[in-house]
Amino acid sequence: MSNPDTPRVDAREKVRGATQYAADHVVPGLAHAMLAVATIGRGRIVSIDTDAARAVPGVRMILTHLDTTGLKSPGYVMGGGYGFQSLQPMLGAAIAYRGQPIALVVADTLEAAREGAALVRAAYEQDAISVTLDAPGAEVLAQADSPLPKPAFADRVVGDAEGALSTAAARVDTTFQGPPQHQNPMELLATVAEWSEGTLTIREPTQNAEALRHGLAQVLGLSPDRIRVLSPTAGGGFGQKNSLQAHTALVALAARELGRPVKLVVPRAQIFNSASFRPASRHTVRLGADASGIMVAAVHEIDHQTSRHDLFPLIYADLTARLYGIPNFRGRERLVRNDIQTPGFARAPFEHIAACAFETAVDELAYALGRDPVALRIANDTSTDPLTGRPFSSRHVVACLERGAERFGWERRTQEPGSMRLDDGTLVGWGVAIGAYKAATAPAIAMLRATDAGELFVSVGGHEMGQGIRTAIAATVAMELGVPAGAVNVIVGNTGSVPQHLTAGSWGAATALPAVRQAALNMREALQRLAGDGPADRPFQQILRDAGRPHVDVEARHRAPGQPESIFGRVAQGHVSAAGPAYPEFVSMSYCAQFVEVQIEPRTRRIRVPRVVSVVDCGRVVSPRTARSQIVGGVVWGFSAALREVSEVDPRYGGFLNADLAEYVIPVNADIGSIEAEFIDEPDPVLNSLGVKGLGEVVMVGVAPAIVNAIHHATGRRIRHLPVRIEDVL
């Protein structure tokens, strides 16, 4: 059974505007910074002129590559470092991509800093650029042949896919294009840096406070003990904030040199061109089935972008090999090196587009076989992992499909494309797709304090990015100690408490909650020992008073199955330490089924999505209210990815052309119809003591292909790219 529907513990502060974000921090003497950025796509700075900028009243300092002697690269987070890329801007004259920072202007006011940054001028030597998958000069590297570690980034091969395809009774062969996209959280990237007696305090919205601390220590040549990172609340992350940003060390350096606190809020246009993003990708999917509709073989081949200076690996086939029980599978990825900043993780980073390519091909196979798309998916379910042969810890894909089909009214669907219409001629299409996401877990340490004043404080590695982790933590403590969730004070995103592991990959709840629950159980035992033979109905604060104890502290640790105790040392050093989906004895994933109705207006051909039914298997649901919110948010983003979002590349000069929310199109409230969310709510019996699996990422997977499949059902057209536009259905 799920927990009670606990209200969000931070809801009152949020709706009152009382929640403090990094950029809200104001202190006496605060200076403001702004970046000047490169206007070429590749080359080097020959000279840089800052005279006009220095003449702006209020400008106090300008840093360029001539002022950063001694700074180092933070290293790439996917290569054992801490930064979203290994390239730390302004360490030299080389320009790797358009939008790379070339100067930091610091002034008494934001207006002066902006004016000064606009007046910085640089002369360049330019090189030819390559910013798209097929552009001249793009370097192609097989991921399996790269220096990336094996077997994590090797090809996925089981059985003989080519041989089985050659004899399959039904085959499909498709190519699907995924566009570059940007995360665009509401809160911009921002940093406030303060020095006091040689100690640096950073306030920044982040998903990875420990990487900021250790990365800054490496860049600035400091001991990590002299750096504290505070990120109690981030206004959305979605992968963009999962490591050290390019600007953070520059702001810290400026604050140290100026002797004043310095704040930088990076404009959205600069974020588009200097922070991570979802890279462009191209997917070839070939499927084969026997006459009865059992899939016997699949091939999934992918090309996707990376930068010249880093190898950003994505394992699309790791997901698609596990969607069904296909005995013969081959998946391979190739890296295409372009003149761009290093791409990064966006919500459901590879799973969203991998599932889109694969699930649209499955839909095409269903039509080739004359089978109902839901029935075909159910017929190809599996209880064992095709890649490892290990059992799944839990898998309720069939339940998701059956429950979703019932709620959606799937039995009323007619199979023939174009066969469902409204009275005014509006075309109606119903589509379905499944999704999955690894059920990963990272190590966590939880500390819990109870005081004689009736206060409870819990510190654990985690970050509140709007997903509701504070509420889930408070609900877990409340459940075990019998106190109101609102009485629990949750401390996350604070490197001064316990090590703060990266919160990403849907492992937040599965990482923090088991440690928190164990800490609560340890607290209950500690209070029972203090209570002795006294009255049994005393509240914990009275037990402490009677025992003469102002407070009692307990600690608990939790790590993923198969991880050694030494993993906590890695966490303390700020390195990513998550495990999954493959564990020593099982494989664990979350699943969903997405059912979508589209309506296409007969004259304008505008595509609308009046309703979605989303059914999710994420193990035990600890916080139903925040979990339901996650589903709604994931469906909205899936809608946006399918019908709206694309980062338009400038192939001549590099960079992205629609670098704002006026031209980077996202849905508005009027675009979104009914979203019905439902959970299987079956605890995973072996992954952890609470039985929780990840939720935040899987809820986006499958939405886009369900929409594309519904468009085919409405029009008969197979569209093999995102986003789908009006001209695709004219």
Side-chain angles (χ1 to χ4, degrees):
M1 294 293 293
S2 64
N3 282 6
D5 190 12
T6 304
R8 287 191 69 124
V9 297
D10 52 3
R12 180 176 173 80
E13 286 73 16
K14 285 198 170 190
V15 299
R16 289 172 55 237
T19 300
Q20 291 290 298
Y21 298 90
D24 296 327
H25 185 65
V26 178
V27 292
L30 180 68
H32 297 266
M34 188 57 59
L35 293 165
V37 300
T39 56
I40 65 167
R42 185 183 182 191
R44 63 183 300 274
I45 299 171
V46 175
S47 63
I48 188 164
D49 183 355
T50 60
D51 290 346
R54 293 182 192 277
V56 173
V59 169
R60 300 300 176 191
M61 170 185 287
I62 299 178
L63 296 177
T64 72
H65 66 280
L66 303 175
D67 306 298
T68 57
T69 302
L71 268 60
K72 300 176 181 177
S73 165
Y76 179 37
V77 70
M78 295 298 291
Y82 303 101
F84 93 87
Q85 62 180 5
S86 61
L87 189 154
Q88 171 61 54
M90 291 171 48
L91 296 194
I95 300 299
Y97 53 89
R98 185 179 179 87
Q100 180 179 322
I102 61 170
L104 183 77
V105 178
V106 186
D108 294 332
T109 65
L110 175 60
E111 292 77 8
R114 291 181 64 178
E115 182 180 353
L119 292 172
V120 173
R121 296 288 182 266
Y124 304 97
E125 287 182 356
Q126 298 190 49
D127 297 329
I129 64 167
S130 171
V131 292
T132 59
L133 288 173
D134 297 315
E139 301 174 39
V140 180
L141 175 64
Q143 191 163 275
D145 297 333
S146 75
L148 292 164
K150 310 298 183 295
F153 302 112
D155 291 347
R156 271 35 182 179
V157 179
V158 177
D160 178 10
E162 300 291 350
L165 275 172
S166 67
T167 59
R171 294 188 294 271
V172 298
D173 189 335
T174 71
T175 298
F176 200 95
Q177 302 283 346
Q181 297 173 328
H182 281 75
Q183 301 94 331
N184 280 306
M186 186 177 296
E187 184 190 25
L188 299 171
L189 297 177
T191 301
V192 180
E194 296 178 76
W195 292 84
S196 177
E197 298 179 351
T199 297
L200 172 63
T201 299
I202 292 287
R203 288 174 171 84
E204 179 169 320
T206 184
Q207 300 171 234
N208 196 351
E210 213 66 60
L212 264 64
R213 183 166 79 105
H214 287 268
L216 285 169
Q218 183 165 310
V219 175
L220 299 173
L222 294 176
S223 166
D225 295 337
R226 292 174 56 193
I227 301 174
R228 185 178 187 183
V229 177
L230 301 175
S231 186
T233 303
F238 313 117
Q240 185 186 79
K241 300 172 181 173
N242 76 351
S243 43
L244 181 64
Q245 304 294 330
H247 68 270
T248 309
L250 302 175
V251 178
L253 176 64
R256 184 175 68 184
E257 297 302 309
L258 195 60
R260 292 170 58 180
V262 175
K263 176 193 291 187
L264 170 64
V265 180
V266 184
R268 196 172 297 276
Q270 291 186 357
I271 291 174
F272 265 77
N273 292 297
S274 65
S276 66
F277 64 98
R278 192 193 306 277
S281 61
R282 179 171 51 235
H283 304 251
T284 297
V285 176
R286 292 183 287 150
L287 297 177
D290 63 21
S292 69
I294 299 301
M295 287 186 270
V296 296
V299 172
H300 188 186
E301 299 175 315
I302 309 99
D303 291 348
H304 83 262
Q305 291 178 299
T306 189
S307 66
R308 302 273 189 196
H309 43 278
D310 294 312
L311 297 178
F312 175 55
L314 284 179
I315 43 177
Y316 304 87
D318 207 56
L319 169 81
T320 52
R322 292 181 158 117
L323 285 176
Y324 301 99
I326 302 175
N328 301 284
F329 185 94
R330 180 174 65 79
R332 73 106 176 99
E333 291 91 0
R334 296 195 307 176
L335 302 159
V336 181
R337 305 185 89 153
N338 285 148
D339 299 305
I340 55 176
Q341 70 266 35
T342 302
F345 298 96
R347 193 175 195 175
F350 60 87
E351 292 85 357
H352 146 68
I353 193 63
C356 202
F358 205 84
E359 281 293 276
T360 53
V362 169
D363 195 72
E364 188 167 344
L365 181 65
Y367 273 86
L369 289 162
R371 295 288 301 276
D372 174 78
V374 171
L376 180 75
R377 287 169 169 83
I378 291 174
N380 283 278
D381 191 40
T382 179
S383 61
T384 57
D385 174 38
L387 290 180
T388 65
R390 299 170 194 165
F392 287 112
S393 60
S394 62
R395 179 181 166 103
H396 301 290
V397 176
V398 171
C400 290
L401 284 164
E402 291 176 341
R403 193 173 302 181
E406 180 181 0
R407 287 193 62 167
F408 194 78
W410 188 260
E411 75 281 355
R412 300 194 306 273
R413 177 185 187 267
T414 55
Q415 179 83 340
E416 185 67 23
S419 61
M420 297 175 67
R421 296 175 182 251
L422 302 182
D423 292 341
D424 65 356
T426 295
L427 296 171
V428 176
W430 288 6
V432 64
I434 65 170
Y437 193 90
K438 63 184 178 184
T441 306
I445 300 173
M447 298 182 66
L448 181 59
R449 167 172 286 191
T451 74
D452 61 359
E455 298 171 307
L456 288 164
F457 298 89
V458 58
S459 299
V460 67
H463 301 78
E464 177 59 77
M465 304 171 290
Q467 82 277 36
I469 195 170
R470 271 198 175 85
T471 301
I473 291 169
T476 300
V477 174
M479 175 180 62
E480 298 299 341
L481 296 184
V483 298
V488 182
N489 300 283
V490 179
I491 301 167
V492 292
N494 185 335
T495 61
S497 57
V498 295
Q500 299 293 303
H501 188 273
L502 165 67
T503 302
S506 276
W507 59 63
T511 293
L513 298 190
V516 167
R517 178 175 185 265
Q518 187 58 52
L521 294 174
N522 293 348
M523 176 63 73
R524 196 162 67 188
E525 292 179 3
L527 291 171
Q528 288 171 350
R529 288 193 297 269
L530 285 175
D533 297 328
D537 59 350
R538 289 176 295 169
F540 71 84
Q541 58 265 42
Q542 189 62 52
I543 294 173
L544 291 173
R545 291 174 193 153
D546 293 346
R549 295 280 296 273
H551 60 81
V552 61
D553 297 320
V554 296
E555 177 184 302
R557 297 181 172 217
H558 183 266
R559 61 188 189 273
Q563 286 188 324
E565 180 70 21
S566 60
I567 196 69
F568 291 105
R570 181 174 170 82
V571 175
Q573 294 171 3
H575 292 302
V576 181
S577 307
Y583 298 96
E585 297 180 358
F586 57 87
V587 173
S588 191
M589 303 190 79
S590 296
Y591 304 94
C592 63
Q594 312 283 8
F595 290 81
V596 168
E597 176 178 323
V598 303
Q599 295 181 2
I600 301 177
E601 294 173 349
R603 293 178 179 84
T604 67
R605 308 298 280 185
R606 178 164 181 168
I607 304 167
R608 297 188 182 276
V609 181
R611 65 187 183 111
V612 177
V613 171
S614 180
V615 184
V616 180
D617 165 27
C618 61
R620 182 184 187 185
V621 180
V622 174
S623 175
R625 185 169 304 194
T626 58
R628 191 169 302 278
S629 178
Q630 287 276 31
I631 289 183
V632 172
V635 169
V636 169
W637 202 343
F639 169 102
S640 189
L643 299 176
R644 299 287 189 269
E645 291 186 52
V646 57
S647 300
E648 300 286 359
V649 178
D650 189 331
R652 303 164 301 166
Y653 307 114
F656 297 97
L657 294 166
N658 56 333
D660 55 56
L661 290 183
E663 294 186 321
Y664 185 89
V665 185
I666 57 177
V668 297
N669 284 341
D671 292 319
I672 305 303
S674 166
I675 300 174
E676 296 184 53
E678 186 164 329
F679 300 95
I680 299 301
D681 200 12
E682 288 287 343
D684 189 290
V686 296
L687 183 60
N688 53 61
S689 61
L690 277 169
V692 297
K693 300 190 291 187
L695 174 64
E697 312 261 11
V698 74
V699 290
M700 183 181 174
V701 186
V703 178
I707 291 173
V708 175
N709 291 338
I711 291 171
H712 168 262
H713 182 233
T715 66
R717 298 191 180 189
R718 287 288 177 195
I719 299 167
R720 297 191 175 98
H721 61 261
L722 297 183
V724 181
R725 292 177 163 146
I726 288 176
E727 55 264 36
D728 293 317
V729 294
L730 284 175

